[in-house]
Amino acid sequence: MKKKIAHFGAFDHDSYGDLIFPCIAEYFLAPEFDVVHVAPTDIPTPWPDAKHTISVQSAINRDDWDGVLIGGGDIVQTGDWVPEKWRMDEVLAVSALPSLWIGASLLAARLNIPLVWNAPGVPGDLSSEFLQTARLALRSADYVSVRDSRSHDILSAHTDTAIQIIPDSAILINDIWAKPPILEGSSRFVISLSVSDLQSRPDEIADALPQLLKDEDSSTLITGLPLMDWQLEGLVLQKLPASLRDIVDVLPRSLTLQDCAGKISQSRGYIGNSLHGFITAVSYGVPAVLVVPSNSPNSHKYAGFIRAIGHDPQYSLVESWRDGVVQLQKRH
């Protein structure tokens, strides 16, 4: 009988990035282990190929686990970022993300089973009321890795536990899904847009994106993927500047996670606000530029990933769509 692993993460969150972690974990672990994905809730997302989850509460009430794995994403935090799905429960409204990494650690300690942190991110300092619990959680781990140096430094200030820096595990996506064949006449660039940029930079986006097609064959397209549609609530077409609607093909929510990865892998280049869209492009060797979203200019996760894979952020990370298009044109 296979040993059973509880894999904790934000796997009920309607985000391409969070939802590809279970796919990667299963690919590498399922031959030897039964991997069960644990999220704040067991409510399905709209993605057709997202993995099934059980709730943290259900996982903690079970005693049949052989190991615990804390997955990726910016989940090691104690702030007030709470999507609507978690706000529906008064407990999750204040504890959804802490329930993942602290709950996982306490479960492993209670059952005296191995606990591994698989390169999550730590977006900022932990709230003072969580520090003692965080120290205990780190002390209970058999192996701890985080995805960038800033996350390492934040946690290292509160523990003497050895912490490794390992690039975001989404970089392995090309191992699980082969690049589909590129069909004749399907040349395209792929973009992803956050609601903050659509609201705060519409003129800049409208000016910049047509430049992607400058000097390109008339059949070349720009395709918008719903990687961040949890922010946009299905309003991409409504918020997209009118001048772009003839050149940007916004694909529907019926796409699978694998479809999105495939579109990026087939493209001439990726530009967008989604970190995991960027990571997917890098994984497949596609030229890519990451535009820092206007609502999170100080987030360290963007430059942190680029440095973790040994690259220089100045060539891949920009603060404007105009600069992003210029950098992408240089690279493809």
Side-chain angles (χ1 to χ4, degrees), residues 85-206:
K85 183 180 292 184
W86 300 343
R87 288 198 299 268
M88 293 188 296
D89 183 290
E90 62 182 11
V91 175
L92 290 180
V94 296
S95 67
L97 289 175
S99 78
L100 296 175
W101 57 281
I102 293 176
S105 301
L106 294 176
L107 175 62
R110 178 172 70 83
L111 299 178
N112 192 27
I113 56 178
L115 168 66
V116 169
W117 290 44
N118 185 29
V122 188
D125 293 332
L126 304 179
S127 302
S128 58
E129 60 267 28
F130 282 92
L131 287 181
Q132 183 57 33
T133 307
R135 293 187 185 102
L136 293 173
L138 288 161
R139 192 181 304 162
S140 71
D142 295 87
Y143 173 85
V144 178
S145 65
V146 291
R147 67 182 182 184
D148 55 61
S149 60
R150 176 63 178 147
S151 296
H152 171 277
D153 292 348
I154 291 171
L155 292 185
S156 293
H158 306 295
T159 183
D160 56 4
T161 298
I163 301 173
Q164 307 299 318
I165 300 173
I166 304 295
D168 190 299
S169 62
I171 194 68
L172 300 171
I173 195 168
N174 71 331
D175 287 327
I176 70 168
W177 293 325
K179 178 178 179 177
I182 300 175
L183 302 177
E184 186 176 352
S186 61
S187 176
R188 70 182 69 236
F189 292 95
V190 167
I191 65 170
S192 68
L193 294 155
S194 67
V195 67
S196 63
D197 276 27
L198 281 168
Q199 291 177 333
S200 65
R201 303 174 175 178
D203 294 339
E204 178 187 310
I205 293 170

Side-chain angles (χ1 to χ4, degrees), residues 7 9-13 18-19 22 26 35-45 50-56 58 62 85:
H7 179 212
F11 308 138
D12 60 345
H13 179 42
D18 288 297
L19 297 179
E26 280 194 17
V35 183
V36 179
H37 309 293
V38 182
T41 76
D42 59 4
I43 301 173
T45 71
K51 301 298 184 180
H52 173 72
T53 65
I54 66 171
S55 70
V56 169
S58 295
R62 288 169 51 171
K85 183 180 292 184

Side-chain angles (χ1 to χ4, degrees), residues 178-235:
K179 178 178 179 177
I182 300 175
L183 302 177
E184 186 176 352
S186 61
S187 176
R188 70 182 69 236
F189 292 95
V190 167
I191 65 170
S192 68
L193 294 155
S194 67
V195 67
S196 63
D197 276 27
L198 281 168
Q199 291 177 333
S200 65
R201 303 174 175 178
D203 294 339
E204 178 187 310
I205 293 170
D207 290 342
L209 290 184
Q211 298 304 309
L212 277 176
L213 302 181
K214 186 178 180 181
D215 301 325
E216 295 290 335
D217 184 273
S218 60
S219 64
T220 301
L221 304 173
I222 299 174
T223 295
L225 294 181
L227 307 185
M228 309 180 77
D229 216 55
W230 60 275
Q231 288 188 344
L232 301 170
E233 299 176 351
L235 299 179

Side-chain angles (χ1 to χ4, degrees), residues 316-327:
S316 303
L317 185 64
V318 298
E319 296 182 357
S320 78
W321 284 83
R322 295 186 183 93
D323 290 344
V325 168
V326 170
Q327 285 292 342

Side-chain angles (χ1 to χ4, degrees), residues 40 84 221 263 302 324:
E84 183 177 355
L221 304 173
K263 295 294 184 186
Y302 307 110

